[in-house]
Amino acid sequence: MNRHRWRDGRLAGRSAGRFAARSVGPAGPEGHDGRADRGAASVVALGLLGATVALTALTVPLLGAFVGSQRAANAADAAALAAADASSGAVPGVPCALASAIAERNGVELTGCELEGPVSTVSVRVGAFGFAVEAEARAGPPGWAG
């Protein structure tokens, strides 16, 4: 009861077009064989790698500046305490010279030193990834109105 006729290995007649449209061969149902997609994963991977490198290049200097600011703050605190100790007579030495030496040991530059009685205020600067980071600290006896 085969109503379809075969000629030379092909289906002939009115229904040939109907069956030909439904046939699924190596090219898939839409005629797309996937060869055009070759290498697409490489392009995506290269894009992701580029984005990661760009994000790292932007993040590392900012984190370096943050670390530099913490380093400057710690060095300013140490220098201010040293100057306050010298001005109160707890340790021998000239207060601002001692603050400068402490700042230098911490790898920062002393940019300012002021004494007001037993209270010292110092300013320091440090370079971090091209940024100039400054910090200021004040030390002295508690409750000093100055």
Side-chain angles (χ1 to χ4, degrees), residues 94-133:
V94 178
C96 287
L98 191 56
S100 178
I102 294 295
E104 187 177 317
R105 284 185 197 155
N106 284 298
V108 299
E109 174 190 359
L110 185 71
T111 58
C113 180
E114 296 177 15
L115 296 173
E116 189 177 322
V119 175
S120 67
T121 304
V122 298
S123 301
V124 298
R125 179 184 310 136
V126 66
F129 284 97
F131 296 102
V133 181

Side-chain angles (χ1 to χ4, degrees), residues 18-72:
R18 185 175 63 191
F19 285 111
R22 287 190 205 165
S23 68
V24 177
E30 288 87 28
H32 180 70
D33 63 357
R35 287 185 217 160
D37 291 340
R38 283 206 177 162
S42 299
V43 173
V44 170
L46 188 62
L48 288 173
L49 180 66
T52 302
V53 168
L55 184 64
T56 302
L58 292 174
T59 304
V60 167
L62 292 176
L63 291 175
F66 175 72
V67 169
S69 72
Q70 294 301 308
R71 193 171 118 203

